């Protein structure tokens, strides 16, 4: 009797099959080989333990393709953000302005003058144009680019307040995603946290009375991802700066990177500097709309100290990010807009008409358009919802359908609200409307 194990295909024979060529190109031959080996091991174990018949060669290929697809979907890939959240942290926050990637491509992929002064051919500073462009944009003396805003906050504290006291209002000791807590960051930076005020009230007297000979800084944290309502009080930056001795640094963690938009409770960086902040740090990939990075802007003497700190090397960005950031800043300096700005300025009747056009292409009574707001997200404007319109899909299998949309060739990320499956076009490029209608038509009859 033939040994059933002899019917198991060899790894190399499976690897050579044309049906797996695409996955080898996208995943790499060693990873596909590992997937095959793992699958073959399972077949062998099932055959030996329970006598399960060995699948045919074609069945083996189909199973391996499915496993390769699961791995492929772990790669960073384009999705359609139909959540109505413009700066979606799980989806890369802000999309880059159109044309930015192509404009930065040559500098990012070829040799580029990162640390060479082309005038004299000697070693120069990193990314001087990005620094000049950001300083110009926010009217600061100087600026420093790091790999994210968390790094900016940490290095600011480490370089300027290590071993000294930092005053932080109790109501501003926030936590952002991933467990980033202000008190923890101060401790890791070697600073001594001096808590002032209460959860809802902080006064000038609270801050003034906390200043000692060992006070290096007041860190004013913009509570961008939550709000305290009701009986509240806090001083303005101008009032704080006036009350502080000149040697005490006033630093602001602005967070969202709002450089131009007039929004309630979302301060503009230029205004913070004008009001008396010595330093302001913020993200480059939220409201600013660039690649992921962080910025510290403000007084040149302080920025220079931070830039010279030994840890700066661990937080600096590479040329690809810098090239994209430079193009983004020029985009802004030429009065162009970010994704957040475009969403806020867009006529929402356009969103309604686009939504209705998609619904008109779907099976009768399978969807409708309702008034539903969009939000900025990205840890900004937590109280603000901006009037708009959204599509409601009439399906009882909301979770299953939501999963099916994520399984499209270009995944469509929908959301559920009050047990309704919804799509919001405020965060969708108009050129994707036809694809959404196509995929909904393909899936709705099975819902």
């Amino acid at each position: 009797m033939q040994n059933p194990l002899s019917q198991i295909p060899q790894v190399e024979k499976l690897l050579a099959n044309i049906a797996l060529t695409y996955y080898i190109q996208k995943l790499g031959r060693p990873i596909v080989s590992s997937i095959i080996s793992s699958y073959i091991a399972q077949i062998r174990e099932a055959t030996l333990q329970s006598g399960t018949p060995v699948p045919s060669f074609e069945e083996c290929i189909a199973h391996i393709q499915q496993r390769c697809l699961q791995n492929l979907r772990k790669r960073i890939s384009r999705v359609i953000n139909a959540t109505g959240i413009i700066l979606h942290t799980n989806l890369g926050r802000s999309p880059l302005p159109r044309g930015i990637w192509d404009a930065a491509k040559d500098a990012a992929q070829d040799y580029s003058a990162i640390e060479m002064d082309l005038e004299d051919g000697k070693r120069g500073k990193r990314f001087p144009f990005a620094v000049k462009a950001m300083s110009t944009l926010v009217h600061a003396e100087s600026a420093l680019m790091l790999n994210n805003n968390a790094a900016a906050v940490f290095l600011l504290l480490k370089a300027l307040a290590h071993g000294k006291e930092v005053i932080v209002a109790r109501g501003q000791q926030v936590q952002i995603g991933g467990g980033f807590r202000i008190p923890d960051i101060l401790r890791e930076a070697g600073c001594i946290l001096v808590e002032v005020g209460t959860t809802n009230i902080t006064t000038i007297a609270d801050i003034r009375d906390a200043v000692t000979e060992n006070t290096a800084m007041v860190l004013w944290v913009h509570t961008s991802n939550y709000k305290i309502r009701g009986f509240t009080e806090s001083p303005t930056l101008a009032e704080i700066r006036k009350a502080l001795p000149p040697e005490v640094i006033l630093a602001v963690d602005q967070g969202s990177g709002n450089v131009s938009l007039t929004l309630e409770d979302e301060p503009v960086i230029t205004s913070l500097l004008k009001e008396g902040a010595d330093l302001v740090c913020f993200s480059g990939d939220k409201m600013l709309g660039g690649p992921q990075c962080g910025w510290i802007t403000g007084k040149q003497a302080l920025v220079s100290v931070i830039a010279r700190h030994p840890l700066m090397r661990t937080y600096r960005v590479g040329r690809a990010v810098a090239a994209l950031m430079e193009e983004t800043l020029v985009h802004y300096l030429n009065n162009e807009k970010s994704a957040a700005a475009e969403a806020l300025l867009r006529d929402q009747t356009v969103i309604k008409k686009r939504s209705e056009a998609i619904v008109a292409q779907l099976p009768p009574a399978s969807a409708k358009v309702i008034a539903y707001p969009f939000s900025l997200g990205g840890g900004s404007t937590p109280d603000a919802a901006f009037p708009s319109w959204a599509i409601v899909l009439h399906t009882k299998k909301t979770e299953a359908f939501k999963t099916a949309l994520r399984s499209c060739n270009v995944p469509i990320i929908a959301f559920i609200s009050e047990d309704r499956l919804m799509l919001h076009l405020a965060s969708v490029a108009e050129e994707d409307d036809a694809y959404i209608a196509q995929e909904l038509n393909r899936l709705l009859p099975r819902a």
Side-chain angles (χ1 to χ4, degrees):
M1 182 178 295
Q2 185 180 17
N3 183 353
L5 295 181
S6 65
Q7 300 175 38
I8 299 176
Q10 294 179 345
V11 172
E12 286 301 320
K13 187 176 180 181
L14 290 165
L15 268 175
N17 190 273
I18 193 171
L20 299 182
T21 301
Y22 171 78
Y23 296 105
I24 291 172
Q25 292 172 345
K26 292 296 182 180
L27 297 174
R29 186 180 178 89
I31 289 178
V32 176
S33 179
S34 176
I35 291 168
I36 294 172
S37 296
S38 176
Y39 174 63
I40 293 299
Q42 290 180 7
I43 293 175
R44 183 179 291 108
E45 183 178 0
T47 301
L48 290 173
Q49 290 188 358
S50 57
T52 303
V54 174
S56 68
F57 187 85
E58 290 72 21
E59 288 174 324
C60 288
I61 289 293
H63 281 291
I64 292 165
Q65 283 180 308
Q66 185 60 38
R67 295 187 182 201
C68 285
L69 180 60
Q70 291 171 354
N71 279 264
L72 185 59
R73 293 179 72 82
K74 301 296 183 183
R75 285 195 58 170
I76 299 171
S77 58
R78 177 177 180 263
V79 301
I80 294 174
N81 173 16
T83 66
I85 301 172
I86 308 302
L87 309 176
H88 199 303
T89 299
N90 295 343
L91 302 180
R93 292 179 176 166
S94 177
L96 292 171
R98 295 293 180 185
I100 293 296
W101 188 269
D102 288 338
K105 181 177 65 176
D106 288 345
Q109 73 180 8
D110 294 329
Y111 291 113
S112 51
I114 291 180
E115 284 185 298
M116 176 181 284
D117 188 325
L118 295 179
E119 293 293 325
D120 58 19
K122 297 180 180 179
R123 181 169 182 164
K125 294 182 178 179
R126 275 191 164 233
F127 318 131
F129 178 76
V131 168
K132 182 179 180 63
M134 177 57 81
S135 300
T136 302
L137 183 64
V138 301
H139 306 293
E141 291 181 14
S142 188
L144 181 65
M145 180 167 42
L146 305 92
N147 55 14
N148 58 37
N149 188 48
V153 175
F154 176 80
L155 194 57
L156 180 154
L157 292 165
K158 185 76 172 177
L160 301 175
H162 180 77
K164 295 187 177 182
E165 295 173 354
V166 176
I167 297 171
V168 185
R170 183 175 186 177
Q172 295 180 356
Q173 294 177 40
V174 302
Q175 174 176 325
I176 63 173
F180 181 94
R181 292 183 171 186
I182 290 296
D184 294 344
I185 296 306
L186 264 76
R187 182 172 59 253
E188 292 297 327
C191 304
I192 302 166
L193 170 63
V194 178
E195 181 183 282
V196 297
T198 62
T199 302
N200 58 323
I201 301 288
T202 300
T203 66
I204 282 292
D206 291 329
I207 296 171
R208 187 189 298 116
D209 293 346
V211 175
T212 70
E213 293 181 354
N214 196 38
T215 302
M217 180 185 299
V218 171
L219 178 62
W220 203 244
V221 183
H222 173 44
T223 54
S224 59
N225 59 359
Y226 79 98
K227 291 296 173 189
I228 299 174
R229 305 176 187 84
F231 181 47
T232 64
E233 179 185 342
S234 63
T236 65
L237 277 184
E239 291 170 337
I240 298 172
R241 181 67 273 173
K242 186 177 179 180
L244 291 177
E247 68 273 12
V248 175
I249 299 165
L250 176 55
V252 178
D253 176 10
Q254 192 275 343
S256 70
N258 183 15
V259 296
S260 61
L261 299 178
T262 302
L263 293 167
E264 186 178 357
D265 297 324
E266 197 61 44
V268 178
I269 294 151
T270 304
S271 299
L272 295 172
L273 292 167
K274 188 176 180 179
E275 289 170 23
D278 298 308
L279 296 168
V280 180
C281 58
F282 51 92
S283 295
D285 57 335
K286 293 182 180 179
M287 295 182 73
L288 186 58
Q292 179 175 308
C293 65
W295 282 95
I296 301 173
T297 59
K299 292 187 175 178
Q300 185 171 11
L302 297 175
V303 172
S304 295
V305 172
I306 301 168
R308 291 194 301 269
H309 193 278
L311 282 178
M312 178 59 208
R313 191 176 183 87
T314 68
Y315 294 130
R316 69 187 187 187
V317 305
R319 62 179 176 178
V321 170
L324 289 167
M325 193 72 245
E326 285 186 355
E327 294 295 340
T328 301
L329 291 170
V330 171
H331 179 84
Y332 259 107
L333 291 170
N334 286 332
N335 296 316
E336 299 293 342
K337 295 176 177 60
S338 67
E342 288 179 349
L344 292 171
L345 295 172
R346 185 182 294 120
D347 181 356
Q348 293 303 308
T349 60
V350 173
I351 299 299
K352 183 181 181 183
K353 290 177 181 177
R354 287 172 55 196
S355 301
E356 290 172 341
I358 289 176
V359 169
Q361 300 174 60
L362 304 180
S366 63
K368 66 179 180 180
V369 178
I370 65 168
Y372 197 91
F374 73 88
S375 61
L376 283 186
S380 64
T381 59
D383 276 345
F386 304 95
S388 187
W389 304 84
I391 298 170
V392 178
L393 300 175
H394 295 154
T395 173
K396 294 180 180 179
K397 301 177 181 179
T398 52
E399 284 292 349
F401 201 97
K402 184 182 175 187
T403 299
L405 288 170
R406 290 199 309 273
S407 300
C408 296
N409 286 336
V410 179
I412 300 170
I413 313 301
F415 67 104
I416 295 174
S417 175
E418 298 177 353
D419 295 324
R420 301 172 299 180
L421 182 60
M422 304 179 71
L423 301 171
H424 207 308
L425 302 188
S427 50
V428 175
E430 188 169 357
E431 55 263 33
D432 289 326
D433 290 0
Y435 176 79
I436 290 175
Q438 168 194 302
E439 293 303 287
L440 290 177
N441 268 313
R442 180 174 66 84
L443 295 169
L444 273 169
R446 305 176 187 177

